[in-house]
Amino acid sequence: MIKELDKDFTSLNEYINQIKPSKIFILVDENTHNHCLPILLPNLETDAPFEVIEIEAGEEHKNIETATQLWEIFSEMEADRKSLLINLGGGVITDLGGFVASTYKRGFKFINIPTTLLSMCDASIGGKTGIDHQYLKNIIGTFALPEAIFFYPQFLETLKFEELRSGFAEMLKHGLIADAAHWNDLSSLHKITPESITPYINRSMAIKNEVVSKDFKEENVRKTLNFGHTIGHAVESLFLKKGTLIPHGEAVALGMICETHLAFLCGLIDVEVSSVIISKIQRLFPYIDISEFKNGAIMDLMFNDKKNQDGNINFSLINGIGSCLFDQKLSAEQIILTLDFYKNLHKN
């Protein structure tokens, strides 16, 4: 169930009163504690006891140490399998919260209230939960669906521009892999603002949900959602390893540029389509300098991606705007050509 919340949060209260949880835990970070919890709490109508659990904000805290702390808190507060966890936050909160809820006592109910554009359109949907380990993103996790997703577009007004732009990358991806009209609408926007983006959030959420509903365990068509992520995640992991975080959406934008070029090298799209896509992404996103990373180091991380099989790097590549193929196996030479292409882009 995906529902947009009204100003009184009526549908959330109706859901909670229907399931009658024994306890409610609300997981937040410093940012959502300050900006979003004061909106949620006055509208929460329940007789169930609840506790607010706050963790530090940031991808660097999406790890086994934080997960262990949360399991210990659940134990101390006597969480049981009739408890409910409300994940109020961005992708880190929904990934981590879903993971700890799905593993504690073999799982108890959780719902997501995404507060960032990235989590509304991507991370909160689809039941992928996880934590990072040894600089590898989401390498430990479960497939576990939230009981419900409630979104409140007004939360976008609490975001910095960089966070808004980060989520916008996933929306562009949805258009490129599944809906040419959605891509055209989004890529034609002059400015990325909460007001300009809000009319398109429902469509992006629907695209993600439609794909996931066809292939929950990512055995076929769900892999198309990884467009831009094979290279993007590798670059993100290298920055994480050196202690410099880059926004997820900016890494995905880099990955989409590279993987669009790969699609051209494979003959899936022509040079004109490739150039149009790349120039539109370049207009909206900053260039990320990856010249310090050797191609071999980037490829090593791509080989370690959890979606690969039999020693091959599997890509999802577009074969037109609004259409995508999965399990595309590419040669090392093609990947190196693409990485060099990206490294030389800022010189042009």
Side-chain angles (χ1 to χ4, degrees):
M1 176 175 68
I2 300 176
K3 278 199 171 181
E4 182 173 349
L5 287 167
D6 59 20
K7 62 179 181 2
D8 296 324
F9 287 30
T10 305
S11 54
L12 173 65
N13 288 319
E14 286 174 352
Y15 167 79
I16 291 173
N17 291 328
Q18 180 187 340
I19 67 164
K20 296 181 173 57
S22 56
K23 290 185 178 69
I24 298 173
F25 299 94
I26 305 172
L27 182 63
V28 296
D29 61 22
E30 303 111 295
N31 297 326
T32 53
H33 185 277
N34 294 335
H35 299 295
C36 303
L37 193 64
I39 297 171
L40 170 65
L41 286 184
N43 290 299
L44 193 62
E45 297 174 5
T46 178
D47 295 327
F50 66 86
E51 295 282 348
V52 175
I53 305 171
E54 181 182 334
I55 63 170
E56 293 183 72
E59 182 79 23
E60 64 270 33
H61 301 294
K62 196 176 83 173
N63 54 34
I64 193 68
E65 289 78 19
T66 308
T68 300
Q69 289 169 10
L70 291 172
W71 288 321
E72 288 171 356
I73 290 169
F74 292 155
S75 181
E76 288 167 15
M77 294 185 173
E78 299 181 337
D80 58 33
R81 293 176 79 176
K82 290 189 175 179
S83 299
L84 173 68
L85 176 65
I86 299 176
N87 295 316
L88 179 68
V92 170
I93 290 289
T94 57
D95 281 359
L96 176 66
F99 175 67
V100 294
S102 68
T103 48
Y104 183 78
K105 293 191 174 178
R106 296 197 176 92
F108 66 90
K109 286 183 173 69
F110 67 95
I111 62 173
N112 292 331
I113 305 180
T115 59
T116 66
L117 187 62
L118 183 63
S119 58
M120 284 180 196
C121 293
D122 186 57
S124 70
I125 304 170
K128 275 188 179 181
T129 78
I131 56 174
D132 304 335
H133 187 59
Q134 295 180 335
Y135 311 111
L136 297 172
K137 278 183 64 67
N138 302 321
I139 199 72
I140 298 170
T142 62
F143 283 101
L145 281 170
E147 296 291 317
I149 300 162
F150 297 96
F151 71 103
Y152 189 61
Q154 286 88 327
F155 281 148
L156 297 181
E157 294 165 13
T158 68
L159 300 181
K160 295 177 182 174
F161 171 71
E162 288 76 16
E163 292 174 307
L164 202 61
R165 181 174 61 191
S166 185
F168 191 68
E170 295 286 356
M171 295 179 75
L172 287 173
K173 178 200 76 179
H174 292 149
L176 282 172
I177 67 167
D179 187 336
H182 192 54
W183 157 262
N184 290 332
D185 288 341
L186 295 172
S187 62
S188 300
L189 291 178
H190 296 295
K191 284 186 177 178
I192 301 172
T193 65
E195 295 75 24
S196 67
I197 289 170
T198 295
Y200 304 105
I201 291 175
N202 263 314
R203 180 60 189 139
S204 256
M205 294 181 80
I207 290 170
K208 171 94 187 251
N209 202 40
E210 285 162 12
V211 173
V212 168
S213 65
K214 293 174 186 171
D215 175 29
F216 180 52
K217 289 290 183 75
E218 199 171 10
E219 293 169 350
N220 44 75
V221 70
R222 183 169 181 168
K223 295 177 184 179
T224 61
L225 292 167
N226 297 319
F227 174 65
H229 287 62
T230 304
I231 292 176
H233 268 174
V235 168
E236 201 174 353
S237 294
L238 285 170
F239 277 104
L240 187 63
K241 192 170 185 177
K242 66 173 251 185
T244 308
L245 296 177
I246 59 171
H248 174 71
E250 292 183 20
V252 170
L254 175 157
M256 289 193 294
I257 288 173
C258 291
E259 293 174 28
T260 295
H261 187 256
L262 275 178
F264 161 67
L265 289 181
C266 294
L268 296 175
I269 55 174
D270 62 30
V271 67
E272 186 178 347
V273 172
S274 172
S275 297
V276 166
I277 293 170
I278 289 170
S279 64
K280 287 192 172 184
I281 296 173
Q282 283 182 298
R283 178 178 70 82
L284 293 161
F285 288 86
Y287 179 82
I288 296 175
D289 187 357
I290 58 169
S291 57
E292 65 182 296
F293 302 130
K294 292 181 178 176
N295 291 341
I298 299 172
M299 289 180 66
D300 284 347
L301 277 167
M302 287 158 61
F303 272 113
N304 205 18
D305 191 290
K306 55 194 172 297
K307 293 175 285 290
N308 293 326
Q309 293 175 330
D310 305 322
N312 291 308
I313 299 177
N314 290 330
F315 283 87
S316 292
L317 298 177
I318 55 170
N319 59 333
I321 295 176
S323 180
C324 190
L325 304 174
F326 56 88
D327 287 349
Q328 300 295 297
K329 294 174 175 57
L330 278 74
S331 68
E333 289 76 16
Q334 289 169 312
I335 299 168
I336 289 167
L337 277 173
T338 289
L339 293 173
D340 287 340
F341 164 80
Y342 183 83
K343 288 178 178 179
N344 287 316
L345 265 184
H346 71 298
K347 299 174 184 175
N348 299 332

